[in-house]
Amino acid sequence: MRFTSRGIGLSLAALVLLAVGFAFQYAQLTVVGTAAVAAVLFGFAYVWWRPRLTVERAVDPDRVMRGESSTVTLTVGNSSRLRGATLIAHDRCGPASVPVPLLRLKAGGTTTATYPVPTARRGVVDIGPLRVVRRDPLGLLTLARGYGGVSKVWVYPTVHHLTAVPTGVMRSLDGRVDRVPHGSITFDTLREYVVGDELRHVHWRTTARIGELMVREHLDTSLPRLVVLLDDRLAAYPDADRTRDSVHFESACEAAASIVMAAFREELPVALRLAGGAHAGGKHTRDYLDLLAEATLATGDQLDATVAQLRTRRAGDTLVFLTGPGGVADLGRVGTLRAAYPSLIAGAFGTTDGEVPTALDGLQVLSATDGADFAAAWDGVSAW
């Protein structure tokens, strides 16, 4: 609840009038001061009434590529049986505020509003809650309340088509190309049992310990595995502004999304890691793209810790490191992984060919200005 400038002035005037009226026995001033207090109390009672509203919000779709369309359909209903409502309402959509007309909303009635979601920038757009502002007739006080929950729209980075994917030097029995000379079906992790799993894969010891059926999940290590390491350190992108918005970081996110989608197209296992520690993996592209939509530049430097984890917990045979101009000096730190990963590739955004070496201790470096330029450089490599 907030006082308007008129409400503040009237409240101060009421105090002065009552003080002077009682002090000097001026009945007229006391009456006027009492009337002012009554007006303020009436304003309190008027704005304190809480309208009974129901808010339903539908977003279609809730996950889009940058630049694609997404629409919010907002339905507001007055669940009161006796009293109508005339309110001022705004629905929050990212940094913007969208007006929602709630004029003369009858008891039991509903109104619907639709508006587009801004998808010009990668990120997660928070939508809601609906902010309803109630003002008294004299304009003395305003009271804002939130209705409904918060919906989210994930805006994915632009994906550029990559015609080639790094492959290995050996072929498995089913014809796929592989760098791992000792590939086989091996244990990966434990997960909860779902209908259709074979009982011979149940891990009975873990099942007895936790009281739920747990099954072993295996993976085929004979397939080449790609690891994408995205540099999300603020120091790696000198062009970032106060809001930590960086053109080069957006390009790196586009490159990461392009590599992930190319790996899924070729049915190759892929893992996505951020230098800050966040990671994604699995069988659904949504998990990877959600992480890229949520990625933001962060202070601090956890690159060494992430590199150490990738060294001790080898996640694949091809590592792709994506960074900005400020991360070029750290290519040597990533290059220490060449003993664990036979193929090392780096994408440096915002640099020219002359600013970084094309090869650094077994690390192949691709210089690019944006995501499309990286895709052209990637496809321009004669052989992986």
Side-chain angles (χ1 to χ4, degrees), residues 243-260:
T243 61
R244 298 185 182 180
D245 187 15
S246 167
V247 175
H248 298 148
F249 182 62
E250 297 303 315
S251 301
C253 290
E254 292 180 6
S258 302
I259 296 172
V260 168

Side-chain angles (χ1 to χ4, degrees), residues 55-381:
V55 177
E56 296 181 1
R57 186 184 295 104
V59 183
D60 184 32
D62 61 350
R63 286 172 168 82
V64 296
M65 293 292 177
R66 195 177 70 178
E68 294 181 349
S69 61
S70 177
T71 304
V72 176
T73 302
L74 183 69
T75 303
V76 182
N78 183 4
S79 57
S80 175
R81 297 182 178 180
L82 301 176
R83 189 172 182 178
T86 298
L87 307 169
I88 301 174
H90 292 82
D91 201 24
R92 184 170 67 95
C93 183
S97 181
V98 180
V100 179
L102 296 179
L103 300 177
R104 297 179 182 178
L105 186 58
K106 298 180 180 180
T110 60
T111 183
T112 302
T114 60
Y115 59 88
V117 179
T119 61
R121 297 178 58 183
R122 175 196 61 86
V124 180
V125 182
D126 292 326
I127 304 175
L130 182 69
R131 186 172 181 267
V132 176
V133 180
R134 187 166 172 79
R135 183 190 298 266
D136 70 287
L138 298 178
L140 305 178
L141 299 102
T142 60
L143 178 62
R145 290 189 176 100
Y147 289 83
V150 176
S151 302
K152 294 181 180 295
V153 175
W154 284 263
V155 181
Y156 295 154
T158 303
V159 174
H160 304 277
H161 181 73
L162 303 179
T163 59
V165 179
T167 55
V169 296
M170 295 190 63
R171 290 187 176 272
S172 60
L173 296 179
D174 64 354
R176 295 188 182 278
V177 182
D178 180 26
R179 286 185 182 274
V180 184
H182 53 279
S184 62
I185 301 297
T186 186
F187 169 76
D188 180 38
T189 186
L190 290 173
R191 60 172 174 82
E192 294 183 2
Y193 173 86
V194 296
V195 178
D197 287 335
E198 298 185 22
L199 292 178
R200 63 189 179 91
H201 290 160
V202 174
H203 195 269
W204 296 108
R205 181 177 300 178
T206 304
T207 298
R209 186 173 68 252
I210 67 175
E212 294 183 6
L213 281 176
M214 302 294 292
V215 297
R216 292 184 294 266
E217 191 171 66
H218 299 81
L219 56 83
D220 188 357
T221 57
S222 65
L223 296 177
R225 296 179 61 84
L226 277 69
V227 182
V228 180
L229 178 58
L230 176 62
D231 195 350
D232 61 344
R233 299 172 300 156
L234 183 62
Y237 303 91
D239 66 317
D241 56 20
R242 294 183 179 179
T243 61
R244 298 185 182 180
D245 187 15
S246 167
V247 175
H248 298 148
F249 182 62
E250 297 303 315
S251 301
C253 290
E254 292 180 6
S258 302
I259 296 172
V260 168
M261 297 303 292
F264 269 86
R265 185 183 67 247
E266 298 296 330
E267 299 182 358
L268 298 178
V270 60
L272 175 63
R273 296 289 300 265
L274 303 187
H279 59 88
K283 300 179 180 180
H284 303 285
T285 57
R286 188 179 73 174
D287 299 332
Y288 300 85
L289 297 178
D290 281 358
L291 179 60
L292 290 175
E294 298 167 359
T296 57
L297 294 177
T299 58
D301 190 347
Q302 301 183 22
L303 182 62
D304 287 336
T306 303
V307 168
Q309 291 179 1
L310 290 173
R311 183 182 298 109
T312 56
R313 300 178 183 178
R314 187 173 178 272
D317 64 340
T318 300
L319 176 69
V320 182
F321 177 57
L322 304 173
T323 186
V328 173
D330 300 319
L331 293 180
R333 298 159 67 180
V334 179
T336 60
L337 294 172
R338 62 182 178 275
Y341 297 85
S343 178
L344 290 178
I345 307 166
F349 294 89
T351 60
T352 60
D353 293 334
E355 294 178 354
V356 294
T358 56
L360 179 64
D361 295 334
L363 179 65
Q364 187 173 8
V365 183
L366 303 178
S367 299
T369 57
D370 54 24
D373 191 25
F374 174 82
W378 177 280
D379 291 337
V381 177

